Structure formats: C-alpha cells, structure tokens
Amino acid sequence: MTTPRTAQHPILPMFTERWSPRAFSDKTVTEAEILTLLEAARWAPSASNLQPWRFIYSLKGTPEFDQMVELLVPFNQGWAKGAAALIFTAAVTTFDGERPIPTHAFDAGAAWMSLALQAHSMGLITHGMGGVEFDKATTALSLPDNLKLIMAIAVGYHGDPATLPEGLRAREAPSDRQPLEVMAFKGTFSGEIKAP
Ligand SMILES: Cc1cc2nc3c(=O)[nH]c(=O)nc-3n(C[C@H](O)[C@H](O)[C@H](O)COP(=O)(O)O)c2cc1C
C-alpha cells in the first residue's frame, strides 16, 4: 500500500501507514493471531493500572461471528461481514459500584490503538466501529451493568475494493488529518472548536 499521508514532524511510519479499509480478503486469521492483538492491548497504559478494558471476539465461520455481525448497524454489517474476525471492546466503568473510573473510555481507547498498531505490524487491517446496536449487543454479549460497550473492531487482511457495496469503493483510501496547529497549543488553548 502506498500512502499519500505526510507527517508534519518526524514520526514512526506506522502512524501514517495504518488506516481503516473496509474491503477484506477471504484470508482467515487464526485464533493465535487474534490473541497476539489482544496481548498488545493488554500492555496499554491505564489510570492506576486498572486495565478497565474487556474484549469479546469471534472468528469468521462460527455462529458467534454471525451473531456479532447482527449486532452492528446495517451500514457496518454491509462491509464488516467480510472481516475475518470481530472484536467487541467494552470498558469497566466501576469495579465496586461506588467509585467510577473517569478514564474508562480513554484507557480502552489506548488498548484499541495498541491492538490496531500490532495488527498493522502483522500485515493485518483493523477498522473500528462505533456503529453498534448497543442495547442489543449488551444483552447478546452478556455484559454486566458496569461493563460499557464502546465499539467493535473488524480485523482481517485487505481485499479488493470491488467487493464493497457501491458507494464505499471510492472511499476506500487513507484519509488525511487536520494540521497539528488545530489541535496543539503552547501554554493555553487559543484555538477554535469546530468539526473537521
Ligand atoms: C471509535 C471509532 C468508531 C468508528 N466507527 C465507525 C463506524 O461505525 N463505521 C465506519 O465505517 N467507520 C468507523 N470508524 C472509522 C473512522 O471513520 C476512521 O478511523 C477515521 O475516518 C480515520 O480514518 P483511518 O482510520 O483510516 O485513519 C470508527 C473509528 C473509531 C476509532
């Protein structure tokens, strides 16, 4: 894959080379590969080292995978059914029911990024999805009250964009980012908050 992405400052190539395709090939992933991705996530930093992330995964070709596809919003089902594995990511909001973990989603986000970069290093693609039927998925995955579903992740090998539903083919390319000046400030915030 060639990438038109250009960094403004020197960084490791993986940051601009990783992106989120939607076209998956038929190539399967092994459980060992998924466990390697989750192992990378396990080593993410978190507030007080609470590690408030939990993952529920399935491999394509199993009843669990077919069920997980049904837990995605229809738009995501359309392409994510081609993935080799699905991983639902949840965050622990409290361990004792009294003290909330304010950083639960942030910590789970760090774990997701570790997973995504590990996958990239193995030639795998990942695609995060906030488009989940949250109530349905929370019940189907047997999540307790203090485990908040955050997002799902499609994993596999990059395939031919021609296999995608029409309308998604043209979007199958790495996206750009806003300039660093929009998001980083010395001393005090002096920018504008507006959607990219
Ligand atoms: C938390 C999260 C939720 C996302 N939800 C969806 C989604 O529901 N459907 C989708 O097609 N892409 C989804 N994406 C993919 C983003 O649109 C994508 O990461 C973003 O456009 C940046 O592109 P890149 O990952 O290729 O760099 C999601 C990504 C993240 C991190």
Side-chain angles (χ1 to χ4, degrees), residues 139-189:
T139 303
L141 300 175
S142 304
L143 304 187
D145 286 349
N146 57 342
L147 196 48
K148 184 181 172 192
L149 190 55
I150 304 283
M151 49 112 63
I153 307 165
V155 182
Y157 289 93
H158 199 189
D160 184 351
T163 61
L164 286 172
E166 210 185 323
L168 283 183
R169 286 171 215 159
R171 291 165 60 182
E172 188 74 347
S175 56
D176 204 352
R177 292 294 185 271
Q178 301 174 92
L180 187 60
E181 293 71 25
V182 169
M183 53 192 83
F185 305 89
K186 194 190 278 186
T188 55
F189 177 72

Side-chain angles (χ1 to χ4, degrees), residues 5 18-20 22 75-76 79 112 127-131 151 175 177:
R5 292 173 160 185
R18 181 219 59 83
W19 64 290
S20 305
R22 294 188 179 88
F75 168 77
N76 286 332
W79 56 268
W112 134 252
H127 197 126
M129 293 170 283
M151 49 112 63
S175 56
R177 292 294 185 271

